[in-house]
Amino acid sequence: EGEPAVITTAMCHGCGTCVAECPADAITQMHFTDAQIFAQIRAALEEIPEEKILGFLCNWCSYAGSDLAGTSRFEYPPTSRAIRVMCSGRVDRDFVLEAFRQGAGMVLVAGCHLPYDCHYIRGNYKMKARMEALAGMLQKLGLSPERLRIEYVSAAEGVKFADLIKEMTEQMKTLGKEKIVAENKKLYPILDRMLSRKGI
């Protein structure tokens, strides 16, 4: 009491879940800082963002699944851009808000299968609770529910990952570019205000 919180380095699992959960943004994760991930979001969405699916993929399962899809030469549309995080628990709400502020067509947050596959035990549960709450809020603000997707892909599911990107691409085409751009335009000032506290 009356003292600042301290990280016991030797006890750190390296997942980054605490970084995403901290309401004061007082914790950082080496090699996966907010600044580094925001820079990746902006670079990925620099051109025609409304036609892109931005994916936040956990290192151990969904990113490995996407890698397997590539090495196995499974075909899927070139619409997705992946950002690797150590655990889906690291995916901050602000990352998703920034993706939509930058005009992303869709956002995918993919982690290890529930209940027991998470490399860090409960990171995928933390992500699920955080993203479901965020999805509800964004839908109330006017975002089509299809545009934020929470999925679970294992390292062995290259086919599933490829099929998921195909399905999301079709959904994006069905929604249409005009609708996506209109929703983004409506959301922009709200997201800008919400992210202003980060000074970005």
Side-chain angles (χ1 to χ4, degrees):
E1 191 175 341
E3 296 292 323
V6 176
I7 300 292
T8 306
T9 309
M11 293 177 71
C12 175
H13 289 242
C15 63
T17 304
C18 63
V19 185
E21 287 290 323
C22 180
D25 292 327
I27 311 173
T28 57
Q29 182 185 17
M30 197 180 296
H31 309 304
F32 296 90
T33 66
D34 282 1
Q36 288 170 319
I37 294 174
F38 276 116
Q40 290 179 70
I41 293 168
R42 289 169 189 151
L45 299 172
E46 204 166 13
E47 296 176 359
I48 51 170
E50 64 278 358
E51 295 179 14
K52 292 197 173 74
I53 300 164
L54 186 67
F56 297 98
L57 311 179
C58 79
N59 180 68
W60 305 100
C61 288
S62 53
Y63 190 83
S66 73
D67 194 42
L68 179 63
T71 56
S72 302
R73 299 175 185 267
F74 299 139
E75 289 189 11
Y76 57 91
T79 49
S80 65
R81 300 292 181 273
I83 293 178
R84 181 178 69 95
V85 288
M86 290 310 294
C87 176
S88 60
R90 173 65 183 101
V91 183
D92 197 309
R93 297 169 188 85
D94 292 340
F95 298 162
V96 176
L97 299 180
E98 177 64 7
F100 286 124
R101 183 171 74 158
Q102 294 297 324
M106 296 181 109
V107 173
L108 167 66
V109 183
C112 302
H113 283 284
L114 299 167
Y116 305 120
D117 281 8
C118 181
H119 190 80
Y120 302 103
I121 315 300
R122 296 193 59 79
N124 50 357
Y125 277 101
K126 294 284 187 182
M127 176 276 288
K128 181 177 185 289
R130 188 185 310 134
M131 289 301 135
E132 285 179 352
L134 180 62
M137 182 200 78
L138 287 171
Q139 285 172 41
K140 285 178 183 176
L141 292 173
L143 187 84
S144 295
E146 304 95 324
R147 293 186 60 201
L148 174 56
R149 188 84 172 256
I150 303 158
E151 285 292 337
Y152 306 93
V153 180
S154 80
E157 291 179 320
V159 172
K160 180 177 179 179
F161 182 83
D163 288 344
L164 176 61
I165 299 301
K166 286 178 190 173
E167 182 190 333
M168 290 181 73
T169 302
E170 284 305 310
Q171 286 180 330
M172 197 161 57
K173 286 178 182 174
T174 302
L175 279 170
K177 187 173 178 177
E178 284 184 14
K179 184 173 183 180
I180 289 169
V181 170
E183 286 183 3
N184 288 344
K185 189 176 179 181
K186 181 184 174 185
L187 282 169
Y188 184 88
I190 303 167
L191 301 182
D192 203 44
R193 263 196 319 276
M194 291 171 77
L195 290 164
S196 63
R197 63 183 174 78
K198 277 188 177 281
I200 54 172

